[in-house]
Amino acid sequence: MEAGPASRTSTGTPTETGTGPRSGTEAGTGSPTATQAEPDPDSAPGSGPGTTAGPAAADGSATPASADGTTPAIPAAHAAPATPRGRRPVVAALMLGMALAAIDGTIVSTAVPQIVGDLGGFTVFSWLFSGYLLAVTVTLPLYGKLSDTFGRKPVLIAGIILFLVGSLLCAAAWNMAALIAFRIVQGLGGGALQGTIQTIAADLYPLKERPRIQARLSTVWATSSVAGPVAGGLLAGYADWRWIFLINLPVGAVALWLVVRHLQEPSRPRPATRPRVDWAGALAVFATGALLLTALVQGGVAWPWFSAPSLGLFGASALLAALTVVIERRAAEPIIPGWVWRRRTIASVNLALGAMGLLMVAPTVFLPTYAQSVLGLGPIAAGFVLSVMTLSWPVSAAFSDRVYNRIGFRRTAMLGMGAALLILLAFPLLPYPGEAWHPALLMLLLGAALGLFQLPLIVGVQSTVGWAERGTTTASVLFCRQVGQSIGAALFGAIANGVLAARLLDAPVDGLPGDLDAVARTLEDPGAVSSAAAEYLRRAVDAAVDHVYVGAAGAAALALLALITLAPRRFPVITEPSDSPTAPAPAAAPTASEAAPARQDR
């Protein structure tokens, strides 16, 4: 849910300046090329570091050159940021597109009984979710690279169209196999929506204003994710499940119209050679991700973890990963460039957000089961216990800039994740069975902590690259977060079922279920087992979820470790007259004093 005190002379030598606006330009041009390390919050006011010539990596090395040996070009905006009024239609389109991508990840869940009753296919219905997730995740790197190569607008338009075509096909599905295939088509469009929308948001707003748009997108994502199951249940119960997909058409059409009409990208110089798309690398990334995520999603569910299908999928994904590395090293314009992992800033953010995706499985997947099975709440009340996290997250994210402007991106993220670690460890200490407000309060605090963690990292890492690398960087961050969620679902599912199996081994009665889902279904039927057996099952579920939250705390510790050991103390932020290549040309060039970057303690 993304100023240092020197401007470059014509020779590229850093020169110390006084104070002034935070934007910096290269003398004699007006192109936004100056970069700097994030100000040191521990230094005295007015004693900030000088800038370096060209985008600096976190370890002090120069920005990796492109295939022709030059630093990737950043299209000159030649402008101040677009006016708020001029940005409104584009922002509306971004929010509508984000709502489509977010709500379709969850809206099908409560309509599964109606869908299965109409189309059949009970044994494979889980692929309605897995197929969509796979398609979104594995296409993120491809869309990020395409948006850097051909521009954001054509990629976003293609993604919206593909998503709407998939929605229409889903509404017309005649059996479960067809619906799963069309959900994958939807996911192919959803991957373009997620990555490109986040990138355009960073293009539209300069660094100091990015928390505003990111907070809005976080609010849309959180609200849509929670509202999805409710909307799906209402449509399936009072209309027809096919309307779940048909309602995407008018919303997507409005978003498409706004993008086509109002999103204006700068004219860029025609490259000397025709841009080449690394289709071999794209296919290798897609195949590797598909096999790995299939093994994670289906392992322990469709087949045992150490069965031939699981071992075969993991082995094949490892071989394909090695092949992908070879292909990408030889490609002129790789889908996943090596600099994504060679730059400490980007690599550390990728790992940290991957760990966050892993820990998010604990509240989103296991808390509703805990609320219903242990606390005895109904589905709506259980959803409310989880949804309070979506109230504090965007609020915390919106105000995070007041923190990172004082102490820096890295320290702000560490503060947020440190608080999240303590909150996750507090969950097993809740009394049994407890009151509903106990976990609700923890989720409210967890949302605030994660808002303070995620947004500074996204804003910070987007600000360390120029326009020509921002799409790839943003896609890598989202890709790692999605993979983390898939790994978390598999890992924590195994932990929960392992704890239940151990507790039920010496159960007071025979014939009890042995996995979390079956236990939850049994507890929904009061007459299924005796009161003593039901109480034993509730305590078993409580113990299983407690272990999951301890595992989530371990993921939070991994995120902190990545920031402590890999992330630079100060992010190498690029200063530009405008971070908005979509802005109109200004009436006059900035003066020398306006061009000088200013130091700001964060």
Side-chain angles (χ1 to χ4, degrees), residues 344-345 347-359 407 409-425 446 449-450 452-454 457 551-569 571:
R344 288 175 53 200
T345 306
S348 61
V349 171
N350 283 346
L351 293 175
L353 286 179
M356 190 203 79
L358 194 152
L359 74 86
I407 65 175
F409 293 119
R410 175 175 174 264
R411 290 183 178 179
T412 302
M414 289 171 60
L415 177 64
M417 187 51 72
L421 172 60
L422 296 177
I423 294 165
L424 292 167
L425 287 175
L446 183 63
L450 294 179
L452 200 62
F453 168 79
Q454 178 178 261
L457 289 184
L558 291 177
L560 277 176
L561 185 64
L563 294 176
I564 292 171
T565 59
L566 293 178
R569 189 164 58 92
F571 281 22

Side-chain angles (χ1 to χ4, degrees), residues 486-501:
S486 300
I487 294 174
L491 176 62
F492 294 148
I495 290 175
N497 287 326
V499 172
L500 278 175

Side-chain angles (χ1 to χ4, degrees), residues 32-33 54-55 62-75 145 148 333 337 339 343 465-470 574:
T33 56
T63 300
S66 59
D68 59 0
T70 62
T71 300
I74 305 172
K145 183 63 179 179
D148 285 342
E333 295 291 339
W339 53 260
R343 299 186 198 176
V465 295
W467 189 95
E469 296 176 338
R470 192 171 288 148
I574 294 179

